[in-house]
Amino acid sequence: MHTTTNINNSKGLDIDCIREDFPILNTTVHGKPLIYFDNAATTQKPRSVIETIDNYYTNMNSNIHRGVHYLSQISTDAYEKARTKIKEFINAPSTKEIIFTRGTTESINLVAHSYGMKFFNDGDEIIISAMEHHSNIVPWQLLKTYKNINIKVIPIDDDGNLVIDNFESMFTERTKFLSLVYVSNSLGTVNPVKELISIAHKHNVPVLIDAAQAVNHIPVDVQDLDCDFLALSGHKMYGPTGIGVLYGKEKYLKAMPPYQGGGDMISKVTFEKTTFNELPYKFEAGTPNIEGVIGLGAAIDYINNIGINAIHEYESGLMEYATKALQTVPGLQIIGNAKEKAGAISFLFENIHPHDVGTFIDFEGIALRTGHHCTQPVMDRYGIPATSRVSFAVYNTKAEIDILVKSLIKIIEVFK
Amino acid sequence: MDSELRELYQQVILDHNKSPRNFRKIEHPDHFAEGYNPLCGDRIDIYVKVENNIITDLSFQGSGCAISKASASLMSSMLKGKSEEEAKEIFNRFHDLVTGHDISAEEIEKLGKLAVLEGVKEFPARVKCASLAWHTLNSALNEDKNVVSTEE
Ligand SMILES: Cc1ncc(COP(=O)(O)O)c(C=O)c1O
């Protein structure tokens, strides 16, 4: 089996070696080698993750936290070891603060529901930004069914930066929560979350960070950020789908009621009364996605083996190269020119609809995303229906970007 | 260019995309509806004038991909002078064409220029683009008050 050793030598990353870790990159699409530029939707999986899941079902499968038999013990161990890996990856103080969920979406819903139902009152305000993914808008709106809360929105400027000059004045004594995206999936903007968190804390307002597009591109340290909650998805960081994480400070998680009831989240049940299990199990009702958790652990090992700093540096090079290269394409306009960007570049042509770009480019073997990217308010902000978006992972190359640019120029010819 | 792709983006379609016919608003239409495809953000407004059950004028406005624009443009040219029943009949046949149902050469013949959209059947993701204008027209004629969406 090929393993990624010595990929991080003095000359930088050995991308050819890394590419060999991803079996799907050998696929051809319409007779062309696959160029996968839809990493913000989901990244591809390295062989080590695929084999870990295979090995789980081949050699370990059983339910966790329940049996005293051998298989149950080894699968429970593997599951809890993955929790420790996550804790270390985001530098959380304790594994009690690492809750497994289905993904970023469920993590945010958990907080909106559990924290919001308990601590929000009619007339309270929460703050989000104009570049949130729908998963950080709708859960808060759903709360309005029960609580008459107001949602305030931090605006964005023409370049895709948050407008934070008046940020502090948004806080009133009714402000109860700030929920903010770290890296925008449609604009690529990296928000100054640490600064905004510290301002929120001055007003005793807890903060949730949607790190779905951050954790695979930049080092994330929850203690350094001092965020109170952080949400992420395994499938956007080389792990399986259907698994994600909610990090929460223990003091908040302890005060919050369970999100769902069932097995595993209880310590004692009678028909009169149930005593809830301790953290983190209080928030993990039912049989979890065991292979997902263990697969996510393998994905974190994979990232750690290369090094998140090395990944960040390499991808920054790709972003810079792609930005310059796309700017040479006649009529192409980049949507989002924020001061700091990571992972994704959105663009538009005046006369060619993103949908047509998507279909044409597919025939060049290139997978990119067209549409509103689950950020309709961002599209409305710029008065556009949709964009085309390229988004990168560590296995992408400058040569692939060159092919993209050539293909876009071909499309322009057709629509001339 | 790949042959499947050439089938989809025929010259007629590219022409209608570039200079769509009847791309305008009708003041005081007899029927009007808005269509929306939330997946790609396409929006279309359809305006219809009807006299004695005959479509005397048909126009559209909005933004969309080449397929949806060309389909709306071809539809507007094709249906002027047709009765409402004929329009619905043509829509059914057109729908069969783009979704890859068997339809006879004779029926394709009746669709005239609309037949250039047959290539869509190889692209299931694009069927909604080709049919948005038609669904919207249907709802305009049925006087549904709601905005039409391709997603139920
Ligand atoms: C910024 C951001 N937040 C949240 C999500 C939702 O993630 P998931 O669908 O994995 O729950 C995404 C996924 O596209 C995202 O990009």
Side-chain angles (χ1 to χ4, degrees):
Chain A
M1 185 185 122
H2 175 89
T3 52
T4 37
T5 43
N6 292 325
I7 46 177
N8 196 355
N9 57 32
S10 57
K11 290 200 279 319
L13 298 179
D14 182 345
I15 300 303
D16 288 341
C17 188
I18 288 176
R19 289 180 66 83
E20 280 180 41
D21 293 332
F22 291 83
I24 208 169
L25 297 180
N26 296 320
T27 307
T28 52
V29 175
H30 300 297
K32 309 257 170 66
L34 168 69
I35 295 179
Y36 188 75
F37 280 153
D38 194 16
N39 294 286
T42 198
T43 58
Q44 298 303 344
K45 319 306 171 199
R47 192 177 278 114
S48 60
V49 168
I50 301 167
E51 285 177 354
T52 296
I53 295 169
D54 186 328
N55 179 52
Y56 168 72
Y57 281 118
T58 308
N59 298 309
M60 300 165 74
N61 178 49
S62 71
N63 213 325
I64 55 165
H65 298 145
R66 302 187 183 179
V68 291
H69 60 79
Y70 172 75
L71 287 182
S72 177
Q73 280 176 21
I74 59 170
S75 57
T76 303
D77 279 355
Y79 184 89
E80 292 303 328
K81 226 181 242 159
R83 199 189 305 272
T84 305
K85 286 175 189 172
I86 279 281
K87 169 193 110 73
E88 284 164 5
F89 184 67
I90 59 172
N91 194 30
S94 159
T95 48
K96 287 186 194 162
E97 302 176 313
I98 303 297
I99 294 159
F100 289 118
T101 63
R102 282 196 297 126
T104 304
T105 303
E106 190 176 46
S107 297
I108 299 173
N109 275 278
L110 190 162
V111 175
H113 197 83
S114 170
Y115 189 92
M117 286 299 269
K118 177 142 181 197
F119 295 109
F120 295 171
N121 295 307
D122 288 351
D124 283 347
E125 301 160 353
I126 64 151
I127 302 176
I128 60 173
S129 87
M131 63 175 88
E132 299 308 321
H133 188 275
H134 294 164
S135 63
N136 198 19
I137 303 173
V138 184
W140 306 107
Q141 287 173 337
L142 286 177
L143 256 189
K144 285 182 166 220
T145 317
Y146 311 100
K147 309 263 177 170
N148 189 17
I149 55 167
N150 296 314
I151 299 173
K152 287 183 166 177
V153 181
I154 311 167
I156 42 183
D157 68 16
D158 289 345
D159 285 333
N161 299 296
L162 286 182
V163 182
I164 50 175
D165 304 345
N166 299 318
F167 175 64
E168 191 154 8
S169 66
M170 293 177 84
F171 289 83
T172 71
E173 72 278 11
R174 301 311 310 253
T175 308
K176 287 290 174 66
F177 209 86
L178 169 64
S179 198
L180 196 58
V181 69
Y182 198 157
V183 177
S184 157
N185 65 312
S186 53
L187 299 169
T189 309
V190 180
N191 289 314
V193 291
K194 189 174 172 180
E195 184 188 335
L196 303 182
I197 290 165
S198 90
I199 294 172
H201 284 174
K202 277 207 286 184
H203 298 268
N204 293 319
V205 170
V207 185
L208 181 148
I209 297 299
D210 169 356
Q213 300 292 346
V215 277
N216 60 330
H217 298 306
I218 54 182
V220 171
D221 178 331
V222 293
Q223 294 190 65
D224 177 55
L225 293 175
D226 199 24
C227 55
D228 302 284
F229 299 94
L230 183 124
L232 62 86
S233 296
H235 69 98
K236 295 183 195 287
M237 51 188 293
Y238 310 108
T241 53
I243 187 69
V245 172
L246 172 68
Y247 157 79
K249 281 185 185 162
E250 194 175 341
K251 64 170 176 179
Y252 289 113
L253 293 177
K254 265 194 171 150
M256 286 158 58
Y259 173 54
Q260 290 176 338
D264 251 10
M265 53 75 70
I266 41 76
S267 59
K268 184 167 191 292
V269 178
T270 64
F271 284 113
E272 287 68 44
K273 182 174 160 46
T274 292
T275 318
F276 301 131
N277 204 340
E278 61 194 32
L279 289 174
Y281 310 108
K282 181 170 100 177
F283 289 104
E284 292 179 4
T287 300
N289 180 356
I290 304 170
E291 94 269 18
V293 167
I294 296 174
L296 176 57
I300 287 171
D301 288 342
Y302 187 80
I303 293 175
N304 287 338
N305 191 25
I306 302 174
I308 187 71
N309 286 306
I311 293 175
H312 178 54
E313 192 182 326
Y314 177 72
E315 290 179 349
S316 301
L318 287 181
M319 284 289 285
E320 200 177 310
Y321 186 83
T323 304
K324 287 208 180 105
L326 289 170
Q327 280 164 344
T328 66
V329 178
L332 184 147
Q333 186 198 355
I334 291 179
I335 305 294
N337 296 291
K339 283 174 274 192
E340 198 186 339
K341 284 175 71 172
I345 304 175
S346 264
F347 60 89
L348 267 186
F349 290 100
E350 201 179 331
N351 298 320
I352 315 172
H353 193 277
H355 230 156
D356 297 316
V357 173
T359 296
F360 266 88
I361 214 94
D362 179 49
F363 275 83
E364 304 292 331
I366 302 174
L368 57 70
R369 183 74 176 273
T370 62
H372 53 60
H373 318 295
C374 294
T375 56
Q376 281 185 9
V378 173
M379 302 298 124
D380 293 345
R381 163 65 178 79
Y382 295 108
I384 54 181
T387 70
S388 303
R389 178 190 71 189
V390 287
S391 53
F392 302 115
V394 67
Y395 40 71
N396 290 127
T397 65
K398 290 180 182 171
E400 291 179 320
I401 294 167
D402 292 341
I403 296 173
L404 169 71
V405 166
K406 275 203 197 110
S407 307
L408 290 173
I409 289 171
K410 271 206 249 173
I411 299 175
I412 296 172
E413 287 302 309
V414 174
F415 281 86
K416 226 172 32 204
Chain B
M1 208 200 294
D2 185 280
S3 62
E4 243 173 87
L5 206 50
R6 201 190 308 272
E7 269 300 303
L8 180 64
Y9 288 96
Q10 298 198 26
Q11 200 54 46
V12 179
I13 291 176
L14 294 171
D15 287 347
H16 278 260
N17 175 49
K18 216 160 122 185
S19 21
R21 323 295 192 262
N22 304 304
F23 191 72
R24 59 185 158 81
K25 190 174 167 177
I26 295 175
E27 300 296 340
H28 314 297
D30 296 309
H31 301 282
F32 168 78
E34 288 171 52
Y36 180 44
N37 180 347
L39 291 183
C40 49
D42 287 1
R43 280 174 191 283
I44 190 170
D45 290 346
I46 297 270
Y47 304 86
V48 197
K49 277 230 177 261
V50 176
E51 253 170 66
N52 299 326
N53 194 35
I54 300 292
I55 296 172
T56 55
D57 199 5
L58 175 55
S59 73
F60 75 103
Q61 284 204 307
S63 72
C65 64
I67 305 300
S68 81
K69 237 164 145 183
S71 179
S73 174
L74 287 161
M75 176 185 88
S76 69
S77 318
M78 170 99 189
L79 297 186
K80 253 193 260 181
K82 299 276 192 291
S83 71
E84 292 188 31
E85 290 69 35
E86 282 170 321
K88 283 179 189 167
E89 185 51 35
I90 291 171
F91 176 28
N92 289 337
R93 218 167 283 141
F94 174 74
H95 200 261
D96 285 345
L97 180 81
V98 295
T99 50
H101 284 79
D102 269 346
I103 83 169
S104 67
E106 192 188 335
E107 282 179 316
I108 293 184
E109 180 79 32
K110 281 195 210 147
L111 285 172
K113 264 194 182 173
L114 283 173
V116 298
L117 283 157
E118 185 173 2
V120 171
K121 71 181 183 200
E122 302 298 338
F123 296 81
R126 306 302 298 272
V127 171
K128 284 175 180 166
C129 308
S131 51
L132 178 62
W134 296 81
H135 285 296
T136 310
L137 172 68
N138 219 5
S139 104
L141 293 178
N142 292 335
E143 284 291 327
D144 297 343
K145 288 286 178 276
N146 295 334
V147 176
V148 189
S149 170
T150 54
E151 304 306 300
E152 250 45 75

